[in-house]
Amino acid sequence: MPEDNFFQSEVVADSLRQILELQDSVLAFAQYGSFASIEEQQNNLDILRKLMSKQRNMCFRCTLTDSPDAKALLGEILKHFEEYGHIVDRENPMGVFDEIASSLDEIEFELDYFSKYGRYPDDEEPGGETPPTTMF
């Protein structure tokens, strides 16, 4: 049986370290996120986007290799996404990142809206957002 060297790669090991650091930042933010300023929330959103990008790259690497360890890692990552309510198509596992990107875009819209109008948007259909009016 050939040796599985997937995790011996310096690039893979470095990517995993970066992912873990970003996950730690996100978990730390989750402790006080409901009290965070808009700027802190926007900074966390930037971290989430970096994390998603690095996770996407790692998952893509896992799909390209025959490494059983890499396939196991991919399975764990996809299971994690499912546990957090994301839809994972096992035939197209990379598609989950489009869903995550869309969720991050929605968060960004809400933060931008709050920055402009001092409140979060009402539950309107996408594209139907109406800025609040000022009454004098």
Side-chain angles (χ1 to χ4, degrees), residues 20-68:
L20 290 173
E21 288 173 8
L22 291 167
Q23 286 176 333
D24 286 347
S25 294
V26 170
L27 289 174
F29 178 82
Q31 299 298 314
Y32 73 92
S34 60
F35 304 104
S37 69
I38 290 296
E39 183 179 344
E40 290 168 325
Q41 292 178 52
Q42 289 169 329
N43 289 338
N44 187 62
L45 180 62
D46 291 341
I47 292 169
L48 285 168
R49 286 193 190 279
K50 288 177 193 170
L51 175 59
M52 183 198 66
S53 175
K54 295 205 178 283
Q55 287 174 327
R56 180 191 313 247
N57 289 339
M58 181 57 64
C59 287
F60 186 66
R61 283 188 182 107
C62 290
T63 65
L64 295 177
T65 184
D66 292 330
S67 163

Side-chain angles (χ1 to χ4, degrees), residues 55-92:
Q55 287 174 327
R56 180 191 313 247
N57 289 339
M58 181 57 64
C59 287
F60 186 66
R61 283 188 182 107
C62 290
T63 65
L64 295 177
T65 184
D66 292 330
S67 163
D69 291 340
K71 298 300 182 194
L73 174 63
L74 178 61
E76 287 298 314
I77 293 169
L78 297 177
K79 179 181 168 191
H80 168 80
F81 287 141
E82 288 173 330
E83 289 171 353
Y84 279 88
H86 295 287
I87 298 168
V88 176
D89 177 357
R90 296 296 174 151
E91 298 298 315
N92 178 24

Side-chain angles (χ1 to χ4, degrees), residues 109-124 130-133:
F109 170 79
E110 290 177 0
L111 290 174
D112 288 346
Y113 191 98
F114 189 89
S115 292
K116 290 178 186 173
Y117 304 112
R119 66 177 180 88
Y120 289 103
D122 297 328
D123 291 338
E124 295 181 358
T130 307
T133 57

